Amino acid sequence: MIETLRNAIVKSRNHGEEVIIMRKALAVLLILAGILLIFTPKIKDEVVKKTVNDTVKILADYPPEKIKVNEENEEAEFDFSIVEDISVTGTLLDASKVNPDLLIGQLVIPSIDLNIAVFRGINNVNLLAGAGTMKPNQKMGQGNYPLAGHYTQNKNVLFGSLMDVQVGDVIRITNKETIFEYRAYDVLLVPDTAVYIIEDQEAEKRGNPIISLMTCYYSSSTGQRYFVMGDFVTSYPYSEEALLAED
């Protein structure tokens, strides 16, 4: 009986030690999970920023002839319903899958230090690297030229700073052959059903070509989108210096 009691005490001690070890392990896991929650958004933003910058570097080596070929690429998608908010998993898995054969230009807004690539069409992968055209046949400097981009809380990522654009700010887009310059004339917060804003009729109302810059969602919970609208002002031959010039 004494031996049995001794064994029971040993088992009890071992069980107690196991419980302590498990509690410590759980505490460590909770700490790691907390650290991950804190830093994951920052990691996501850094991945997207790198993707954006790398894509602009790719575009820098593209001649106008390559862009003209890309403008006819039939792989482009124009189904806006497939676009999703930026997610951590999507960022980490898709950032390296950007299709350079859909690169057709560059968008620069000096007042908010925005410099990103323009893709033909919209999909979740390419929107991690720049803005996308929303209509198959849209032309720079003609009609209504709408571009969609992701809104983020980080103002240094994609369209995160679009809301800081002021009326009168310069907006430039280029196909590496010509720079098309616009000036912002309005900023709008609209429901996601207001698709008429990307139609050419809006340009006809203004009496001149316009550009429509749209966040995929300003608030996905309410379905609102943010627009910056710009009037076409002038066009001139492409140079990197002219494209990036301060207003």
Side-chain angles (χ1 to χ4, degrees), residues 33-174:
I35 293 174
L36 188 62
L37 285 174
I38 292 172
F39 287 101
T40 292
K42 295 181 180 180
I43 294 171
K44 178 191 68 176
D45 287 347
E46 288 304 315
V47 171
V48 173
K49 283 170 64 176
K50 184 178 186 305
T51 304
V52 170
N53 292 334
D54 288 349
T55 306
V56 170
K57 290 177 182 177
I58 293 172
L59 187 62
D61 295 328
Y62 272 23
E65 294 75 19
K66 169 60 175 170
I67 288 180
K68 288 179 181 178
V69 172
N70 288 359
E71 287 175 338
E72 304 300 323
N73 194 323
E74 296 299 325
E75 296 179 37
E77 301 175 83
F78 297 93
D79 180 5
F80 201 73
S81 66
I82 68 173
V83 177
E84 302 172 348
D85 284 346
I86 297 178
S87 68
V88 175
T89 53
T91 300
L92 298 179
L93 293 176
D94 294 337
S96 62
K97 299 177 182 178
V98 172
N99 186 350
D101 291 333
L102 291 174
L103 283 170
I104 61 168
Q106 196 167 346
L107 167 68
V108 171
I109 306 179
S111 64
I112 59 172
D113 197 27
L114 180 73
N115 179 10
I116 60 176
V118 174
F119 290 88
R120 173 170 162 78
I122 48 177
N123 62 46
N124 290 303
V125 175
N126 289 347
L127 286 178
L128 292 175
T133 58
M134 301 179 67
K135 299 184 294 186
N137 300 315
Q138 64 186 75
K139 300 291 184 183
M140 295 182 182
Q142 299 180 24
N144 186 354
Y145 195 85
L147 293 174
H150 276 303
Y151 169 78
T152 70
Q153 292 185 344
N154 187 329
K155 290 181 178 291
N156 296 316
V157 178
L158 298 172
F159 275 5
S161 59
L162 194 66
M163 288 186 297
D164 293 335
V165 173
Q166 303 292 316
V167 171
D169 283 357
V170 167
I171 303 166
R172 299 189 186 104
I173 53 174
T174 184

Side-chain angles (χ1 to χ4, degrees), residues 80 190-195 214 216-217 219-220 222-225 227:
F80 201 73
V190 301
D192 58 5
T193 54
V195 293
M214 184 195 81
C216 295
Y217 280 108
S219 172
S220 57
T222 60
Q224 291 181 311
R225 306 187 196 281
F227 273 89

Side-chain angles (χ1 to χ4, degrees), residues 199-230:
E199 300 300 333
D200 285 339
Q201 285 85 343
E202 295 301 301
E204 294 170 5
K205 291 177 185 177
R206 294 291 296 177
N208 52 251
I210 65 173
I211 192 169
S212 307
L213 306 179
M214 184 195 81
T215 59
C216 295
Y217 280 108
Y218 164 64
S219 172
S220 57
S221 61
T222 60
Q224 291 181 311
R225 306 187 196 281
Y226 192 82
F227 273 89
V228 169
M229 312 295 293

